[in-house]
Amino acid sequence: MRSYSLTMMSAISQGRNPANKNSRLDRWCTETVIDILEHPEYIGHTVNFRTRRKSYKNKRKIENPKEDWLIFENTHEPIVTQQEFELVQEMRKNKRRNQKQETVNPFSGICFCADCGKKLYLCRSRSLSEDQ
């Protein structure tokens, strides 16, 4: 019983809630992994000027384009290697939507909307009528 209380105190000191029976303390959150794989800070770079504000009175942040970012390379110890980071960026550019069927859309990443330029997705359903 005493070891459980020490474990519980340790989890509380780390900002976790062990009292929640549904919390999975041993798993990484998907958003955390995506954040690590998309931000160049994890390959040892420092990035400044990601966001800006119109005025000191207005607290809303405005995202700056990547061309306006100021990146200082190799300022600290990297967590992810440069090769892994570049590989993940290439893979995330060509993300494919999961489908219920086992077949993969052969036109995935090739067909784009002529009006807005967004990707077109394959949608199959048995309940759609002919005019849909």
Side-chain angles (χ1 to χ4, degrees), residues 1-21 25:
M1 188 72 174
R2 182 164 169 79
S3 65
Y4 177 74
S5 63
L6 289 175
T7 306
M8 195 162 146
M9 293 302 290
S10 159
I12 291 171
S13 69
Q14 294 173 0
R16 299 181 290 170
N17 183 8
N20 184 358
K21 301 269 189 245
L25 302 178

Side-chain angles (χ1 to χ4, degrees), residues 8 27-28 35 37 49 51 55 79 89 96 107-108 128:
M8 195 162 146
R27 300 220 175 171
W28 284 69
D35 189 49
L37 295 175
F49 307 114
T51 60
S55 167
I79 297 174
Q89 301 313 307
R96 294 184 177 198
F107 302 112
S108 177
L128 294 176

Side-chain angles (χ1 to χ4, degrees), residues 79-95:
I79 297 174
V80 180
T81 65
Q82 182 73 33
Q83 293 82 14
E84 290 172 345
F85 184 77
E86 290 171 0
L87 178 66
V88 168
Q89 301 313 307
E90 188 64 34
M91 290 172 65
R92 290 196 52 84
K93 265 196 254 178
N94 300 320
K95 289 191 298 186

Side-chain angles (χ1 to χ4, degrees), residues 50-64:
R50 273 186 201 265
T51 60
R52 62 182 169 86
R53 294 194 171 122
K54 283 189 176 181
S55 167
Y56 71 94
K57 295 178 185 178
N58 187 354
K59 302 301 178 193
R60 222 176 328 165
K61 290 182 180 178
I62 300 169
E63 296 288 328
N64 284 333

Side-chain angles (χ1 to χ4, degrees), residues 114-132:
D115 297 328
C116 66
K118 292 187 178 180
K119 293 179 185 177
L120 295 177
Y121 293 100
L122 178 64
C123 178
R124 295 184 180 146
S125 177
R126 294 182 181 164
S127 62
L128 294 176
S129 63
E130 292 293 326
D131 59 338
Q132 292 178 317

Side-chain angles (χ1 to χ4, degrees), residues 105-117:
N105 181 7
F107 302 112
S108 177
I110 299 173
C111 294
F112 296 92
C113 177
D115 297 328
C116 66

